[in-house]
Amino acid sequence: MTYDPNNVFAKILRGEIPCKKVYEDDFALAFHDINPQAPIHVLVIPKAAYVSILDFSAEAAPELVTGFFRAVGTVARQLGLEEPGFRMMANIGSDGGQEVPHLHIHLFGGRKMGRMISKD
Ligand code: 5GP
């Protein structure tokens, strides 16, 4: 899938639309989801043009892959999610329910998440 530079997270990265930032470093930006599905719902995105884990894992420089996943862990710790735990999720493509075509990891916390995924 070709990366669309006009997707909403690309606009957030360029500062064209605002976000409630929780963390930023050279590799990643984290911000609160606009429509939270849990008491804590934060998105972590790489500062580079990748649609999903598919192109990211295949094409991104090792420093970016490492930096991005380190940032995900840093954000989870910073949000105090280490205990009692949290859910980390990435939607990919149509069946995965991906709405925004820029790689993002959802971090959900602040309540029990239940078992796995919904059946509908
Ligand atoms: P997806 O379904 O692609 O995995 O998740 C996209 C997420 O982005 C959704 O949870 C949605 O609420 C969130 N989102 C969409 N537009 C915006 C926005 O402009 N700002 C923020 N902070 N979140 C957004």
Side-chain angles (χ1 to χ4, degrees):
M1 188 182 184
T2 313
Y3 184 80
D4 171 12
N6 288 318
N7 76 76
V8 68
F9 294 169
K11 290 180 181 174
I12 286 175
L13 278 177
R14 291 195 296 267
E16 292 167 12
I17 59 172
C19 70
K20 280 200 207 166
K21 183 165 79 176
V22 299
Y23 178 81
E24 181 171 17
D25 64 19
D26 288 346
F27 304 105
L29 176 69
F31 49 90
H32 291 281
D33 196 290
I34 205 166
N35 182 22
Q37 305 296 308
I40 296 169
H41 184 176
V42 164
L43 303 169
V44 190
I45 68 174
K47 286 184 168 178
Y50 294 99
V51 176
S52 78
I53 197 69
L54 297 172
D55 53 350
F56 187 72
S57 62
E59 297 161 20
E63 311 81 67
L64 177 58
V65 176
T66 304
F68 175 64
F69 282 103
R70 281 199 196 285
V72 173
T74 299
V75 171
R77 284 187 294 271
Q78 185 179 299
L79 291 167
L81 295 175
E82 206 166 355
E83 291 295 338
F86 59 101
R87 178 155 297 159
M88 171 176 151
M89 192 177 88
N91 297 321
I92 294 124
S94 164
D95 272 12
Q98 183 175 7
E99 289 174 1
V100 180
H102 181 114
L103 171 61
H104 50 285
I105 301 283
H106 296 258
L107 297 177
F108 301 103
R111 67 166 166 83
K112 290 217 178 287
M113 293 300 144
R115 288 295 300 163
M116 305 299 278
I117 58 174
S118 79
K119 295 194 174 71
D120 45 284

